[in-house]
Amino acid sequence: MPAVSKGDGMRGLAVFISDIRNCKSKEAEIKRINKELANIRSKFKGDKALDGYSKKKYVCKLLFIFLLGHDIDFGHMEAVNLLSSNKYTEKQIGYLFISVLVNSNSDLIRLINNAIKNDLSSRNPTFMNLALHCIANVGSREMAEAFAAEVPRILVAGDTMDSVKQSAALCLLRLNRTSPDLVPMGEWTARVVHLLNDQHLGVVTAATSLITTLAQKNPDDFKTSVSLAVARLSRIVTSASTDLQDYTYYFVAAPWLSVKLLRLLQCYPPPEDAAIRGRLTECLETILNKAQEPPKSKKVQHSNAKNAVLFEAISLIIHHDSEPTLLVRACNQLGQFLQHRETNLRYLALESMCMLASSEFSHEAVKTHIETVINALKTERDVSVRQRAVDLLYAMCDRSNAKQIVAEMLSYLETADYSIREEIVLKVAILAEKYAVDYTWYVDTILNLIRIAGDYVSEEVWYRVIQIVINRDDVQGYAAKTVFEALQAPACHENLVKVGGYILGEFGNLIAGDPRSSPLVQFNLLHSKFHLCSVPTRALLLSAYIKFINLFPEVKGTIQEVLRSDSQQRNADVELQQRAVEYLRLSCIASTDILATVLEEMPPFPERESSILAKLKRKKGPGTVPDIEESRKERSANVNGGTNHTSATSNAKTSPASFVGDLLAPAPPPTNRPRPVSSASFLHTPLTPLPPHAAPLAASAGTFYQVAASSTDLLGLGSASTSLSSTPPAAPPAASSLLVDVFSENSPAAAAPIAVPATAAPVADDNFPRFVCKNNGVLYENQLLQIGLKSEYRQNLGRMYVFYGNKTSTQFLNFCTSVVCQDGLASQLNVHLKPADPTVDGGAQLQQIVNIECVSDFMEAPVLNIQFKYGGTLQNIAVKLPITLNKFFQPTEMTSQDFFQRWKQLSAPQQEVQKIFKAKHSMDTEVTKAKIIGFGVALLDGVDPNPSNFVGAGVIHTKTTQVGCLLRLEPNTQAQMYRLTLRTSRDTVSQRLCDLLSDQF
């Protein structure tokens, strides 16, 4: 070991470390450490005062011993004494020891705080940096209380050196994360934002990290940072690598700062100022262009830095979701990475394209890469990349490619990794249902799914196929035939036996005419699987047998023999024994009419949202609100031909609790439904009394197809059993309310608005214009809460599903909401808000239903107020709900002759409104068509003599009247201008619609 002089280092420490390394055993190491601890303790307690060097050396030894895993219970005061030294090395060791070993609740904190204050006021940049680092490393509440006001002052002071500003910004960031309530930024906000203009890029980088965190919590306070961030980003992106020599990393100018600036801009919607927006668009285009340039270095650091900026830019493009050209370019750029040799890039490209697939502008561009994604699914070695490929196929699926994607997923399922099989099964089931036009294809797909991966087919999947078969008369015969053929395989999965037993029990008569599937053959086929099944499946098969007695009297004797056998009458399982006894007794004593009544065919199920989708959301975690495919422009009807209604439970959370809620419900009434009946059902639904002979059966055996061991809500109806069973239903509202009659599926009592005091929070309306031409998406988001919407409208009525996503790990308490209609809006618009759960768990999602009735035409929009407690602090949020007049449009198809005839009739000056305005976005024909259709009118092709013009027609429906509307949009691509003309029978309607639509172009 080279000699170390006293001035250059600590020889004693070097010798001690060498001794520890040379120890041959653990015992020898402990012996040497104990000897050293005894020596240090004697030195500290000795009469002779130690000089600074000795204190530093011994404190360093203690620190090293602690890092070896041994407890240190002395030496803290000596470390504190080192803080008062004027030598850098001694002060540094003192701060290092305190940062590592001093507890935030230590009695020495006051002494440490005094030493830190002295160093902060010393104006010595080295000492100031040490003090700021110590504050950040300890980060205790006591330190935040002591220095929360001092650190911002140092940060914005004009005479503070750049290195100290960097440390101060990062220190303030740490205090804000640990004790946000103690860091007052109000008076410093403007000056902190101004740091983005600092000449020193290190200061700008640290300040950007701080501002990003603060902007996530208080976006309105830091809104001015957007223009400065865009300006700084523009200077970085357009500069050559030689211009930022000190901050250029492998030929990439300031990559870390670029990423942080792009992340900061994701806290805000697209800039409203056209100049700033144009400059930002130029920056993003430049980043995309640079990604296409040949690399300036072959080293991996160059490509990593370049790609980091690129992916963050793409994230910003996706976040803004307003520039079709950029979205398509981003999609094409990501498409090139799908076949890149670097696994991480392939993963990131697939993940980003999943988000792009949810945008109406880039969905078609994403679909062009379907073959590449399918190939990745088949050939990719990394399971995480394959999982992202499955996610992307799911996100890009629509009616045009559903069969191809489902077929590829089924093919992959046979060899898929076990960890993702259940998720693939859920996605295949959802896609097959969502995009099924030919229901025979849907039945084949689900049966194939059970055959390939039966162990991973959850109960929700086969419950759903049964519900759909029962609700669709045209598929029942095919389903019975297909299931019968599938059951003939020597080895059938138990889920297939369940589906077969249920469907043949209900619809076996539809195929009984064929000798190959006669009643006796059907029964023998089912009974051949009986001994191989679990108890719940046997119980279901017994219910199918008693159904056979009603359908096929000729097999009554055979089935009674089975029910009379000792294996059934004396079965060890009480459920099977009880069913066998009661079914046998029922078949013997009941008349044909009574038997037909008790065992009648299942009635259609009410149309509700599939529980499969809820299970997938639960499995993937409560991240996005709402689901990615729900935010797409094209919305499909569900498999039963209607709109996908969300569960009737207005406050259903995305948590496993909603699927075991039926365990808490009282015993269900007698019914033929193959599901536990929730308490909500029998609180609000009148029961049909059974014949007297059926009463004992109903009282004891329960529902025919109900499986005793099941703990899930079979059809995803999501009953809130605990709350409903403890609270009697309230009286229904007045009969004049049409909202409940049309939309409610439970008692109207739930539609009563909640009385919540109006909050004084500023109304957030940044995303309001984005919802004029679409009904789904994210309305509001901050660091705590994300609010998503999914809406549907029919004539003058509407229903809005509001999703509240808790982005934190802490529970929201006293969660309450209210809708405020200002001025005269209350008489023009009826808004009923269903009650919401008062708590929202960390990472969970809460759903609330808003029913809307348009009484007359209106101008303003209602405001949604949200109040809740987070970490003991009351949070108030006010968001403008995107309920606009055009939502009540009914599109009207018209011929050219009818259109111009009506156009001439609406020629009075007060009936026409015309507006000429500059285009804010690129004048893309397809985008314009999509927006006009999204606005609610029918787009009439071939009506206008000029093919480049757009013509539409529709009728606004209100409770009091109907208002016809004709519109004409004339684009001038050379001048980048539009002329919009609207004619309606009411002047206020013309003006309002013109204002709404013109803001979209």
Side-chain angles (χ1 to χ4, degrees):
M1 178 179 289
V4 181
S5 68
K6 184 174 179 179
D8 296 329
M10 293 171 282
R11 180 176 179 78
L13 175 64
V15 171
F16 174 62
I17 293 174
S18 178
D19 290 348
I20 293 295
R21 289 176 175 172
N22 292 330
C23 289
K24 303 297 184 182
S25 64
K26 186 69 175 176
E27 291 76 13
E29 178 184 311
I30 294 174
K31 183 178 179 181
R32 177 69 181 90
I33 288 173
N34 288 337
K35 177 182 177 182
E36 192 64 39
L37 287 174
N39 177 54
I40 296 172
R41 198 185 299 269
S42 65
K43 294 291 184 182
F44 283 168
K45 288 184 177 180
D47 297 333
K48 186 178 179 182
L50 295 174
D51 59 5
Y53 168 78
S54 298
K55 283 183 185 178
K56 177 183 72 170
K57 178 177 67 176
Y58 293 135
V59 166
C60 259
K61 288 183 178 181
L62 291 176
L63 187 58
F64 179 72
I65 293 171
F66 174 78
L67 295 177
L68 290 175
H70 301 270
D71 292 332
I72 300 297
D73 56 2
F74 69 97
H76 299 76
M77 181 56 75
E78 284 71 18
V80 172
N81 291 337
L82 285 175
L83 299 184
S84 58
S85 172
N86 287 325
K87 290 186 177 181
Y88 169 75
T89 55
E90 294 174 9
K91 191 183 288 286
Q92 180 193 33
I93 295 301
Y95 275 124
L96 181 61
F97 185 93
I98 288 165
S99 298
V100 175
L101 272 150
V102 173
N103 191 299
S104 60
N105 298 321
S106 171
D107 296 334
L108 299 174
I109 284 292
R110 188 168 295 177
L111 293 174
I112 295 170
N113 286 351
N114 287 334
I116 291 175
K117 284 180 180 177
N118 292 334
D119 284 337
L120 290 179
S121 58
S122 68
R123 312 311 296 170
N124 183 321
T126 305
F127 293 173
M128 292 176 75
N129 275 329
L130 287 174
L132 290 168
H133 293 169
C134 181
I135 296 171
N137 287 330
V138 176
S140 66
R141 190 167 183 84
E142 291 77 9
M143 283 198 170
E145 290 174 348
F147 303 108
E150 179 69 12
V151 176
R153 185 188 61 77
I154 294 172
L155 176 62
V156 300
D159 57 346
T160 304
M161 293 187 66
D162 292 335
S163 61
V164 179
K165 283 185 180 180
Q166 288 177 257
S167 299
L170 297 176
C171 178
L172 197 58
L173 175 60
R174 164 73 169 159
L175 295 182
N176 187 270
R177 287 173 175 168
T178 56
S179 307
D181 54 315
L182 297 178
V183 182
M185 290 304 302
E187 55 184 305
W188 310 108
T189 299
R191 298 171 71 181
V192 169
V193 170
H194 191 67
L195 290 174
L196 292 176
N197 276 338
D198 199 278
Q199 296 296 319
H200 194 277
L201 287 190
V203 175
V204 179
T205 305
T208 305
S209 298
L210 173 63
I211 294 169
T212 301
T213 301
L214 296 174
Q216 289 172 348
K217 297 180 180 179
N218 303 293
D220 292 338
D221 295 346
F222 293 88
K223 221 170 187 177
T224 55
S225 65
V226 173
S227 58
L228 297 179
V230 172
R232 174 63 76 173
L233 181 65
S234 177
R235 292 201 294 272
I236 294 173
V237 169
T238 57
S239 66
S241 56
T242 54
D243 298 338
L244 304 172
Q245 193 71 42
D246 294 339
Y247 287 86
T248 296
Y249 180 77
Y250 287 88
F251 304 101
V252 181
W256 283 275
L257 178 55
S258 300
V259 167
K260 289 178 183 291
L261 290 171
L262 290 165
R263 204 163 285 172
L264 170 59
L265 292 172
Q266 291 176 51
C267 298
Y268 296 94
E272 296 177 0
D273 187 287
I276 298 175
R277 190 167 183 163
R279 193 171 185 184
L280 177 58
T281 302
E282 289 177 10
C283 291
L284 296 173
E285 287 177 345
T286 304
I287 293 172
L288 293 176
N289 290 337
K290 285 186 175 181
Q292 300 286 353
E293 295 175 0
K296 297 180 180 178
S297 171
K298 292 183 179 180
K299 293 191 175 180
V300 69
Q301 292 92 333
H302 171 72
S303 60
N304 285 347
K306 190 175 176 181
N307 291 331
V309 177
L310 173 64
F311 276 104
E312 207 60 51
I314 291 174
S315 295
L316 179 60
I317 293 170
I318 296 170
H319 172 76
H320 283 173
D321 192 19
S322 59
E323 295 291 340
T325 306
L326 287 178
L327 285 162
V328 172
R329 283 197 61 188
C331 180
N332 294 335
Q333 182 65 50
L334 291 172
Q336 297 177 17
F337 288 131
L338 292 179
Q339 296 177 307
H340 199 279
R341 58 186 178 84
E342 178 62 43
T343 304
N344 289 337
L345 284 180
R346 296 197 300 273
Y347 179 94
L348 291 171
L350 290 166
E351 189 176 46
S352 298
M353 288 186 83
C354 281
M355 294 185 286
L356 276 173
S358 65
S359 170
E360 59 185 291
F361 302 119
S362 55
H363 180 70
E364 292 299 322
V366 172
K367 284 167 56 179
T368 61
H369 300 283
I370 184 170
E371 296 299 333
T372 307
V373 179
I374 290 172
N375 186 57
L377 191 65
K378 295 176 180 178
T379 61
E380 187 62 54
R381 293 183 180 179
D382 192 313
V383 64
S384 61
V385 181
R386 294 199 299 271
Q387 188 168 3
R388 292 287 81 79
V390 170
D391 291 343
L392 180 53
L393 286 175
Y394 176 72
M396 70 167 62
C397 187
D398 58 21
R399 289 197 183 279
S400 66
N401 56 19
K403 289 190 176 183
Q404 180 187 5
I405 287 178
V406 168
E408 292 295 344
M409 283 189 172
L410 283 173
S411 174
Y412 171 63
L413 189 56
E414 298 189 32
T415 57
D417 192 271
Y418 292 106
S419 62
I420 63 174
R421 283 195 180 188
E422 184 180 3
E423 185 181 327
I424 296 174
V425 166
L426 290 174
K427 288 181 173 177
V428 168
I430 291 169
L431 295 177
E433 175 185 341
K434 187 177 180 66
Y435 299 113
V437 177
D438 178 3
Y439 294 97
T440 58
W441 171 73
Y442 171 74
V443 171
D444 289 339
T445 299
I446 299 300
L447 293 181
N448 204 13
L449 199 61
I450 296 173
R451 180 186 63 79
I452 295 172
D455 290 338
Y456 300 91
V457 175
S458 62
E459 291 182 328
E460 288 88 353
V461 175
W462 73 265
Y463 293 153
R464 188 64 176 164
V465 71
I466 286 172
Q467 176 187 354
I468 289 165
V469 169
I470 287 174
N471 286 13
R472 299 289 309 188
D473 295 339
D474 57 338
V475 79
Q476 291 165 358
Y478 180 81
K481 177 177 178 292
T482 307
V483 168
F484 176 78
E485 292 172 352
L487 284 173
Q488 293 179 9
C492 294
H493 194 274
E494 191 166 330
N495 281 334
L496 183 59
V497 177
K498 292 176 183 177
V499 175
Y502 198 109
I503 291 179
L504 291 179
E506 290 292 330
F507 310 113
N509 59 310
L510 299 178
I511 61 171
D514 189 334
R516 292 171 297 179
S517 56
S518 65
L520 187 59
V521 173
Q522 290 184 42
F523 170 72
N524 289 333
L525 180 61
L526 284 178
H527 196 55
S528 67
K529 314 292 182 184
F530 187 89
H531 66 287
L532 300 172
C533 298
S534 62
V535 170
T537 307
R538 292 184 187 184
L540 187 147
L541 288 177
L542 289 177
S543 297
Y545 297 168
I546 192 67
K547 284 271 189 172
F548 270 26
I549 290 178
N550 180 47
L551 290 176
F552 315 117
E554 62 267 32
V555 298
K556 180 176 180 179
T558 306
I559 294 175
Q560 284 180 334
E561 285 300 318
V562 171
L563 296 175
R564 196 176 284 118
S565 64
D566 284 349
S567 62
Q568 305 301 334
Q569 295 288 306
R570 299 184 180 183
N571 197 295
D573 187 272
V574 65
E575 172 72 18
L576 294 181
Q577 185 190 66
Q578 187 174 8
R579 289 197 182 209
V581 170
E582 294 185 351
Y583 289 168
L584 178 61
R585 188 65 178 156
L586 176 66
S587 68
C588 292
I589 67 171
S591 66
T592 305
D593 292 340
I594 291 177
L595 203 60
T597 303
V598 176
L599 303 174
E600 65 182 348
E601 187 177 304
M602 285 285 295
F605 287 87
E607 292 303 328
R608 308 276 180 87
E609 183 188 38
S610 169
S611 64
I612 309 172
L613 186 59
K615 177 161 186 173
L616 179 63
K617 292 178 186 175
R618 198 167 75 244
K619 181 173 179 62
K620 293 295 284 181
T624 58
V625 185
D627 204 65
I628 52 173
E629 75 272 6
E630 290 175 355
S631 58
R632 204 179 297 159
K633 181 189 165 221
E634 179 184 346
R635 297 289 178 266
S636 341
N638 70 2
V639 76
N640 293 311
T643 307
N644 275 340
H645 293 305
T646 309
S647 170
T649 307
S650 63
N651 53 354
K653 289 185 183 180
T654 309
S655 69
S658 65
F659 289 90
V660 296
D662 287 325
L663 289 176
L664 305 175
T671 174
N672 275 353
R673 296 198 178 284
R675 53 178 292 272
V677 180
S678 66
S679 57
S681 301
F682 61 79
L683 278 174
H684 304 310
T685 307
L687 300 179
T688 303
L690 291 175
H693 293 84
L697 169 69
S700 56
T703 57
F704 275 110
Y705 286 106
Q706 177 183 344
V707 178
S710 174
S711 64
T712 56
D713 178 359
L714 301 186
L715 297 172
L717 306 184
S719 64
S721 52
T722 49
S723 61
L724 286 170
S725 58
S726 61
T727 308
S736 60
S737 175
L738 299 178
L739 304 176
V740 177
D741 298 337
V742 174
F743 288 109
S744 289
E745 291 164 8
N746 280 340
S747 168
I754 309 170
V756 180
T759 175
V763 179
D765 59 357
D766 294 343
N767 290 337
F768 182 87
R770 299 174 63 183
F771 284 83
V772 171
C773 293
K774 68 177 185 176
N775 290 333
N776 308 321
V778 176
L779 177 64
Y780 175 84
E781 185 170 11
N782 62 12
Q783 82 285 359
L784 303 179
L785 180 70
Q786 184 187 59
I787 303 176
L789 294 183
K790 180 181 179 183
S791 311
E792 55 186 359
Y793 294 88
R794 193 178 311 138
Q795 295 188 351
N796 70 311
L797 302 177
R799 170 179 277 181
M800 180 179 289
Y801 302 96
V802 186
F803 301 86
Y804 306 97
N806 184 347
K807 297 171 63 177
T808 71
S809 58
T810 305
Q811 192 180 56
F812 292 166
L813 301 176
N814 300 338
F815 190 90
C816 57
T817 58
S818 65
V819 173
V820 178
C821 294
Q822 312 241 346
D823 302 327
L825 184 60
S827 62
Q828 301 165 339
L829 198 66
N830 289 335
V831 182
H832 293 264
L833 191 66
K834 289 195 175 184
D837 197 306
T839 60
V840 186
D841 294 333
Q845 176 181 315
L846 179 71
Q847 175 189 303
Q848 190 173 32
I849 297 178
V850 183
N851 288 328
I852 308 147
E853 181 183 24
C854 179
V855 180
S856 62
D857 61 278
F858 58 94
M859 301 288 286
E860 298 300 322
V863 175
L864 175 65
N865 290 323
I866 304 111
Q867 279 189 345
F868 58 91
K869 278 191 176 180
Y870 168 73
T873 305
L874 184 64
Q875 304 286 333
N876 291 321
I877 297 172
V879 184
K880 186 182 285 190
L881 283 177
I883 303 173
T884 51
L885 187 58
N886 66 293
K887 299 298 181 184
F888 303 96
F889 255 129
Q890 289 295 307
T892 304
E893 295 291 342
M894 302 179 74
T895 64
S896 178
Q897 181 180 354
D898 293 339
F899 178 85
F900 285 108
Q901 182 180 352
R902 182 61 178 155
W903 184 268
K904 291 176 183 177
Q905 292 173 355
L906 298 172
S907 58
Q910 67 273 17
Q911 294 176 329
E912 180 182 281
V913 173
Q914 190 174 90
K915 188 173 183 180
I916 300 174
F917 53 94
K918 187 80 174 175
K920 301 176 187 175
H921 311 286
S922 61
M923 301 178 73
D924 185 274
T925 303
E926 293 304 317
V927 174
T928 304
K929 286 182 179 180
K931 288 183 177 179
I932 292 175
I933 294 172
F935 193 65
V937 299
L939 187 63
L940 307 179
D941 292 328
V943 170
D944 197 293
N946 186 345
S948 62
N949 292 345
F950 303 93
V951 174
V955 178
I956 296 284
H957 286 258
T958 71
K959 185 178 180 181
T960 56
T961 186
Q962 295 183 7
V963 182
C965 172
L966 304 177
L967 70 82
R968 188 183 191 191
L969 182 67
E970 302 167 86
N972 185 335
T973 52
Q974 292 182 344
Q976 290 291 296
M977 301 282 286
Y978 285 104
R979 179 167 66 182
L980 175 62
T981 309
L982 276 109
R983 290 188 180 182
T984 72
S985 54
R986 185 169 295 187
D987 55 346
T988 54
V989 173
S990 302
Q991 187 60 55
R992 180 57 177 158
L993 293 178
C994 184
D995 293 340
L996 288 171
L997 187 56
S998 61
D999 286 342
Q1000 300 301 306
F1001 297 103

